[in-house]
Amino acid sequence: MTDLLHIDGLIAPRSVAVIGASEDVTRIGGRPIAAMLRAGYAGHILPVNPKRDTVQGLPCFASVDDLPMIPDAALIAVPAKLVPETIEALGQKGCKAATLFSAGFAEVGEAGETAQRQLVTLARRHGMRILGPNTLGVYNVDIGYYGTFSSSLDTGYPRPGNIGIASQSGAFGAHLGALARDRGLGCSVLITTGNEADITVAEAIRWMAESDGTDVICTYMEAINDAPALLAALDVARAKGKPVLAIKSGRSAVGARAAASHTASLTGDAMVADAVLSEHGVVILRDPETMMDIAYAASKMIFPTRHSLGIVTVSGGAGIVASDEAERVGLPMPAMPDKAQAALRQALPYASPVNPLDCTAQALNDPSLLELFTRSGLEEGGYGAVLCFLTYVAGSKAMTEVILETMAPLRAAYPDRIIAFCALGAPEVLARYDDAGILVFNDPCRAVRALDAVLRHGADQAHGATFLQPEARPVTLPQGTPDEAQAKALLAKAGIAAAPELAVTSAEAAVLAAEAFGYPVVMKILSPDILHKSDIGAVKLNIANACAVREAYDTILSAAQAHALDAAVTGVLVAKQLSGGIECLMGIHRDPTFGPVAVFGLGGIFVEVLNDVSLRACPFGPEVAREMILSIRSAAILRGARGQTPADIDALAQMLSRLSVFAAGAGERLVSIDLNPVLAMPKGQGAFALDAVIELDRQEVAEHAH
Amino acid sequence: MTDLLHIDGLIAPRSVAVIGASEDVTRIGGRPIAAMLRAGYAGHILPVNPKRDTVQGLPCFASVDDLPMIPDAALIAVPAKLVPETIEALGQKGCKAATLFSAGFAEVGEAGETAQRQLVTLARRHGMRILGPNTLGVYNVDIGYYGTFSSSLDTGYPRPGNIGIASQSGAFGAHLGALARDRGLGCSVLITTGNEADITVAEAIRWMAESDGTDVICTYMEAINDAPALLAALDVARAKGKPVLAIKSGRSAVGARAAASHTASLTGDAMVADAVLSEHGVVILRDPETMMDIAYAASKMIFPTRHSLGIVTVSGGAGIVASDEAERVGLPMPAMPDKAQAALRQALPYASPVNPLDCTAQALNDPSLLELFTRSGLEEGGYGAVLCFLTYVAGSKAMTEVILETMAPLRAAYPDRIIAFCALGAPEVLARYDDAGILVFNDPCRAVRALDAVLRHGADQAHGATFLQPEARPVTLPQGTPDEAQAKALLAKAGIAAAPELAVTSAEAAVLAAEAFGYPVVMKILSPDILHKSDIGAVKLNIANACAVREAYDTILSAAQAHALDAAVTGVLVAKQLSGGIECLMGIHRDPTFGPVAVFGLGGIFVEVLNDVSLRACPFGPEVAREMILSIRSAAILRGARGQTPADIDALAQMLSRLSVFAAGAGERLVSIDLNPVLAMPKGQGAFALDAVIELDRQEVAEHAH
């Protein structure tokens, strides 16, 4: 909480010292002062520069010491080498928040990184928070605070509004701000975090989530430097009902990074980030324009509870194009009730009143038709949003008044629903609809995409089931890497079932085990040193009788010896051979950002060729596991495609949830788990791990041994 | 050719009669006259209205008969019931082209459809071509011809330019025109075809492809009413190097339509249309805005031969976001050569000169860096296009001159390459870059998508291999539906191999056949009346000896009898059982629009659950078949994923091509062919159809029998 107070001083200061203040309004030390003067910042601007008495008409102070008050915030625009003494002086003065424009730290290599760490230590000593270094700064539109040197202000100032932006990249954040402004959208704050030595995007999101002026949060992230803080911030935003729209860049690196275990190679950071952030309610986007489309729609703060769209159109063609897009993005367009259809058909015989509702060009002659169709969509259709395709008709000055007059009562009558126009025309004409509370888009497909996001947010807020997150209990891991039997035993304690099996050390014991399970059986080598058992011929399937068991026992041991004389062999595993199920894969891998992440997919080709997997951060309950299982593209196979019996999805979900709880409890030594295959038996008959590999961090083992 | 001349009169008339001319400029008969007067149409406007002497200041004629000249074109704005006599009068006068605004024909049901057909017959008798009925008309910007009553003109007139639009939907076509105008893009013509009683979008595209004023063709289609004409028009456009951008609506109906055969159920009209149109060079789009983005980029007529992108950026973040998008759409961004990287690093030590080329905010202080990085991308990088992310920097008036001065020589030095900016700012500022030949986009991702399309077009024009289309020779089909053996024999003549097999009618003959092939063998019922043989137990696999052959023979016959006593059974098929290959599926289905279409996919789940198939119109050669095979998502499996031997893709390609030639030669009676499975053996060992079902049209058989 203390931390957040400090950030408040940084983003909404009542006084700001500018260290390295400049008379030149194009320089880093001059731009913020000029901007604040121009914007009418009501706080105190305190320029500091030993060489001047005044700066841009303000009294200037020779040093931080000389300041007549303790500033809420400081802007530091001095060369890197002078930054430490500046921080020290500010700290002694009692300033608790500094924005460091200065570059030349972590971004220039190791020496800079060390200097940056030292800055943070220094600031901490004084209880001071730091934004940057290498940041473009902050602005806070409502109070006219421009703690930034962004040249985006050269082309105009932001309008006040409820869209907040947090960006690691300064230029990209300012681009978003300028984009919003050029579209006529209002912003609350822009916070760019630069090198994130101290304050991260996570904290900026948290501030926006908790403060009053921001209702929609836009963010741009590259690395995620503080995952727990980010997830906590997202959860606050969600609880407050504020949508978070994010561009997480660096997707094209996916697949290029080496990954330690097989399962890890399937995931890749971007996929993990997408999965985890989506789970916390984030709308993940690729381009700035779509972000602003959604921010615009969300900024009206109407979040209908139903995720459904009605389209009213004066052009049959446009209605179809928009409907195609709705289907593509998964926005439902239910048909109108029969009775309502009949009523509309009576009003306009050649209308197509199903959905899209085509009121034809006739609506140009009789705008009451537009009203009638839209009202019916809202009332009888019950759609969360109605999009009216009016194109240039709405842009004609002659029509504007008529349309506004007809639609305004409707807008008032359905305050909890969205009414949007797809319209072309002069900006000042279209602004009139926007002023009347009607969303305006140029493109029908962009409108559909933006509405979909806002409607999803509303439905999520209204119906979003919040599943209890299971508690992870500490798991005791063995010292060394477990062999398959040990791995299965460990997982069995966590409630994860394997096929009936026994580890044996003689051919006769193998026969006894096989006869107890019933034939056929499977036999495999047990060795923590041999990971790819089948590749070396140390796995035998379809073993049908005692004689074959004995033969397999010998063959497997010889194969293992031939492979590696020094491999530690702990025995042979005899397992009942199950059949008739569907092969799946479950795994865990430790993501450097989000910790243990579970992966699920169908076996073999589906995962390796089609990369058809779903991911979640651990731990999670069986409901989430179920969603995860059913979200893969090939889920139809588990559901019983091609006339087959449906698989035991409940058992799979239990197993996956338990695996996630196990992984969360296992701590940092757990590198990966690979259950491949897991056999999902027909519904009611369970799911069984047929193989299990647990990889532990050897380094840590060594350390524990000390 | 005569037809095209007539269309010329319709689109670029030197004189136009307006039947039903009105003094009221808001009425259908008044709008075109007002628009032409305002636009300064240089031809003769000839109003016809028995009740008036003048219309909008022009002399008005009482009837078509009274016209002082034969008009090149007529606009018909009279009620439906008066249309036939108007056509007759115009025909007698010698007019060869009429645009029918009048509604009340095919769109209102069967009676209207009949009336519409009669109109065409009537017009044909006079050698007259008809646009519409129920059309919004045509405009031709260069000559100021506005044969349209579109109210899009109420918000402004189109600018002259080289983008042509053909649309079935009037309102949607006019929306595209207004969108282009509002973005400052220039148009040549808008042709809306309405009910397409005579002139279709295909003919409109052909006209634009062949006439001089249009360089980029935008089209909106719902139904494709004349596929051969459309494909011919597309091929003309391609030969002339004019890109065709299309929105084909009605995708959400995909899957809802019933399909006659199993293979047909996999395709669906929209998929077929996409496949066929893409093959003919069409860029298929979903939304109007992307269409205009690409049209804008293409309208500059620079089509580089290399499909590669360099990104120069002042923001590292934006560079990554744009690169992510390039990877997503498949636009290559090769790295800069090492030597060039070293040179750029020397010019700007902290630059990241790989690609994206990050010239950092330093380029704001020193715009020569922007020039240097862009030049290096064009020269050493050799990129087809260089996109510079300059955001609000380029929009600042202070920077505009400097940037223009720096970049103009570069623009001149690389006339065959695209230079594009991502920039924010006032329209008049951004227009200056556009005037200098630099493309301007607001959004980096939209820029990437538009550049990708234009670069693909350029590469296609430069390197597009035009494969010889094999000639289809007539195929003689049997009278009745062939059984499996007959189907295979028919296909064998076309060079399509099955496994060694023999049709037998006794158990002993079956044993002899099996011993000749070698065990194991497969046995199946032969009956044209039983399509799903395995479902009724009339297929036996893994038959290992003579005794089992005899048993199988009896079982199969009993199963067939049990299934249907009256099924015509022609015998039992004995085939060598092949193994070790990869199961694929090939098929043909007759698309109502494009005729026989071939489909290829991997067997089972891949097709049925993942719908992972590729499609082509028949016939095509083995090179095209190879492309088609390798374009499925799961092609890696054929290529040898998971350490398996690659499949004999050459043999598959030969088979698929031969199947397409067979289908093209078979004529209209062929409904479908289903080769499922086809076993693709390891490379060099061939591909074999293990089952074959040929479905013929029974109706036609009956007719032939008459």
Side-chain angles (χ1 to χ4, degrees), chain B residues 80 102-108 111-113 115 134 195:
Chain B
S102 319
F105 291 91
E107 80 280 12
V108 302
E113 216 169 294
N134 193 24
N195 288 7

Side-chain angles (χ1 to χ4, degrees), chain A residues 128-165:
Chain A
M128 186 195 297
R129 302 298 309 274
I130 288 180
L131 185 67
N134 193 25
T135 172
L136 198 64
V138 172
Y139 61 64
N140 185 332
V141 182
D142 245 6
I143 62 167
Y145 174 64
Y146 285 88
T148 175
F149 61 97
S150 173
S151 61
S152 68
L153 303 175
D154 294 356
T155 47
Y157 279 67
R159 304 171 186 224
N162 60 355
I163 300 171
I165 302 168

Side-chain angles (χ1 to χ4, degrees), chain B residues 180-454:
Chain B
R181 176 197 69 201
D182 287 2
R183 287 181 56 150
L185 304 184
C187 278
S188 51
V189 294
L190 167 69
I191 306 167
T192 71
T193 53
N195 288 7
E196 299 204 339
D198 176 13
I199 295 167
T200 61
V201 157
E203 210 167 336
I205 292 174
R206 178 87 180 235
W207 186 88
M208 293 191 278
E210 295 194 339
S211 65
D212 283 338
T214 300
D215 296 317
V216 184
I217 299 169
C218 294
T219 179
Y220 169 80
M221 296 181 272
E222 286 167 13
I224 292 173
N225 290 324
D226 188 353
L230 178 63
L231 301 184
L234 295 175
D235 293 344
V236 172
R238 196 179 211 173
K240 299 257 185 179
K242 301 184 181 181
V244 179
L245 318 178
I247 295 175
K248 166 86 180 67
S249 78
R251 304 176 163 272
S252 40
V254 174
R257 300 179 201 190
S261 82
H262 171 69
T263 306
S265 72
L266 305 174
T267 58
D269 295 2
M271 269 186 79
V272 172
D274 282 1
V276 176
L277 297 179
S278 304
E279 202 183 332
H280 286 263
V282 174
V283 182
I284 294 170
L285 301 164
R286 286 189 322 260
D287 53 308
E289 196 167 56
T290 307
M291 176 179 267
M292 283 305 141
D293 284 346
I294 300 172
Y296 163 57
S299 70
K300 305 290 180 193
M301 304 285 287
I302 303 176
F303 298 114
T305 56
R306 283 196 219 168
H307 181 234
S308 69
L309 176 70
I311 293 178
V312 173
T313 182
V314 300
S315 151
I320 304 172
V321 168
S323 304
D324 285 352
E325 185 68 0
E327 183 175 287
R328 194 185 69 85
V329 301
L331 172 52
M333 286 184 57
M336 289 287 283
D338 290 343
K339 214 174 136 189
Q341 288 193 29
L344 293 176
R345 219 174 262 119
Q346 198 152 24
L348 185 65
Y350 296 123
S352 169
V354 184
N355 190 19
L357 305 162
D358 186 354
C359 61
T360 77
Q362 194 57 32
L364 309 191
N365 302 326
D366 180 4
S368 77
L369 284 171
L370 174 65
E371 195 269 355
L372 175 69
F373 277 64
T374 307
R375 178 185 296 275
S376 185
L378 293 166
E379 184 59 42
E380 284 95 24
Y383 306 125
V386 172
L387 171 64
C388 304
F389 182 85
L390 299 177
T391 176
Y392 44 80
V393 174
S396 120
K397 279 186 190 125
M399 295 296 287
T400 314
E401 285 311 317
V402 190
I403 293 174
L404 273 172
E405 215 166 278
T406 322
M407 300 294 278
L410 214 50
R411 177 62 290 178
Y414 296 89
D416 58 341
R417 257 42 106 63
I418 295 174
I419 301 177
F421 282 1
C422 175
L424 296 178
E428 63 278 12
V429 174
L430 301 184
R432 303 221 27 218
Y433 298 114
D434 186 69
D435 292 343
I438 294 167
L439 293 174
V440 182
F441 296 91
N442 283 336
D443 187 82
C445 299
R446 272 171 72 182
V448 164
R449 294 192 289 270
L451 293 178
D452 178 54
V454 171

Side-chain angles (χ1 to χ4, degrees), chain A residues 262-485:
Chain A
H262 172 69
T263 307
S265 73
L266 305 173
T267 56
D269 296 0
M271 272 186 77
V272 172
D274 282 1
V276 176
L277 297 179
S278 305
E279 202 183 333
H280 286 265
V282 174
V283 182
I284 294 172
L285 302 164
R286 286 189 322 258
D287 53 307
E289 196 167 55
T290 307
M291 176 179 266
M292 284 304 141
D293 283 348
I294 299 171
Y296 164 58
S299 70
K300 305 289 181 195
M301 304 287 288
I302 303 176
F303 299 113
T305 56
R306 282 195 220 168
H307 182 232
S308 68
L309 177 71
I311 293 179
V312 173
T313 182
V314 298
S315 153
I320 304 171
V321 168
S323 304
D324 285 352
E325 185 68 0
E327 183 176 286
R328 193 185 69 85
V329 302
L331 172 53
M333 286 184 57
M336 289 287 283
D338 289 344
K339 215 174 135 188
Q341 288 192 32
L344 294 176
R345 218 175 260 118
Q346 198 152 21
L348 185 65
Y350 297 124
S352 169
V354 184
N355 191 17
L357 307 162
D358 188 354
C359 60
T360 78
Q362 194 56 32
L364 308 191
N365 301 327
D366 180 3
S368 78
L369 284 171
L370 174 65
E371 195 269 353
L372 175 68
F373 277 64
T374 306
R375 179 185 295 276
S376 185
L378 292 166
E379 185 59 41
E380 280 92 23
Y383 305 126
V386 172
L387 171 65
C388 304
F389 182 85
L390 300 175
T391 178
Y392 44 80
V393 173
S396 119
K397 281 187 189 120
M399 295 295 287
T400 314
E401 285 312 317
V402 190
I403 293 174
L404 271 173
E405 215 166 278
T406 324
M407 300 294 278
L410 213 50
R411 177 62 290 181
Y414 296 90
D416 59 340
R417 258 42 106 66
I418 295 173
I419 301 177
F421 283 2
C422 175
L424 295 178
E428 62 278 11
V429 174
L430 301 184
R432 301 218 32 217
Y433 298 115
D434 186 69
D435 292 344
I438 293 166
L439 292 174
V440 182
F441 296 91
N442 283 336
D443 187 80
C445 298
R446 270 171 72 181
V448 165
R449 293 192 290 270
L451 294 177
D452 178 54
V454 172
L455 291 167
R456 276 180 203 269
H457 178 80
D460 179 59
Q461 289 283 323
H463 315 293
T466 42
F467 296 122
L468 272 183
Q469 185 173 298
E471 217 168 301
R473 269 180 288 175
V475 170
T476 310
L477 294 174
Q479 286 295 82
T481 296
D483 67 25
E484 181 180 342

